[in-house]
Amino acid sequence: MYRRERCEAMTCEAAIALCDYCARQLTSLAIPVPTNKMARRQKEPEPIEQMTKRLQTRSTTEEINDTRLDTEYKIAVVTTSLARHLCEHIESLPIGAQRRILDTHEF
């Protein structure tokens, strides 16, 4: 996806869907850290002793939730580079996607 040719080959619907996806992920990173569990885990890690105890006593559901939060954060961070790429090659995108980036989401 990180090549100009990929941008040119996308259909308008696919490009708009990708722009919307990037906007949603960027918004998830913009939520302030105190209310954003996903970002808070990365920005304010637990002390080692507390984390060790929690890891040893957590349930399967808590483990799945921890993995989900970590994965969501990683995806959101990677999406920033994808959004940058779309903005770099905006002239290669269909006009509908250009309009979505500039008018709707204001990247």
Side-chain angles (χ1 to χ4, degrees):
M1 182 61 226
Y2 295 101
R3 301 184 69 144
R4 177 183 300 269
E5 296 81 22
R6 301 288 184 198
C7 287
E8 293 169 353
M10 270 195 295
T11 64
C12 187
E13 294 81 20
I16 289 173
L18 185 59
C19 294
D20 290 344
Y21 177 77
C22 288
R24 284 192 306 274
Q25 293 300 318
L26 292 172
T27 301
S28 73
L29 287 175
I31 298 171
V33 171
T35 59
N36 187 344
K37 288 182 182 179
M38 174 184 70
R40 188 174 53 229
R41 285 174 50 87
Q42 302 297 324
K43 302 281 185 182
E44 301 169 358
E46 298 175 277
I48 298 295
E49 299 83 20
Q50 185 179 355
M51 183 183 292
T52 302
K53 183 178 178 184
R54 188 178 63 80
L55 290 176
Q56 291 172 348
T57 60
R58 70 181 175 180
S59 67
T60 305
T61 305
E62 291 170 331
E63 184 176 351
I64 291 170
N65 191 43
D66 288 347
T67 303
R68 181 185 58 83
L69 289 172
D70 289 342
T71 303
E72 285 177 4
Y73 181 78
K74 290 174 186 177
I75 289 170
V77 169
V78 169
T79 304
T80 59
S81 68
L82 184 56
R84 181 192 62 82
H85 173 74
L86 290 174
C87 291
E88 268 185 18
H89 301 295
I90 195 164
E91 69 280 350
S92 302
L93 292 172
I95 192 75
Q98 291 178 16
R99 185 175 184 284
R100 186 66 63 104
I101 287 173
L102 297 173
D103 294 340
T104 304
H105 299 306
E106 299 178 358
F107 278 15

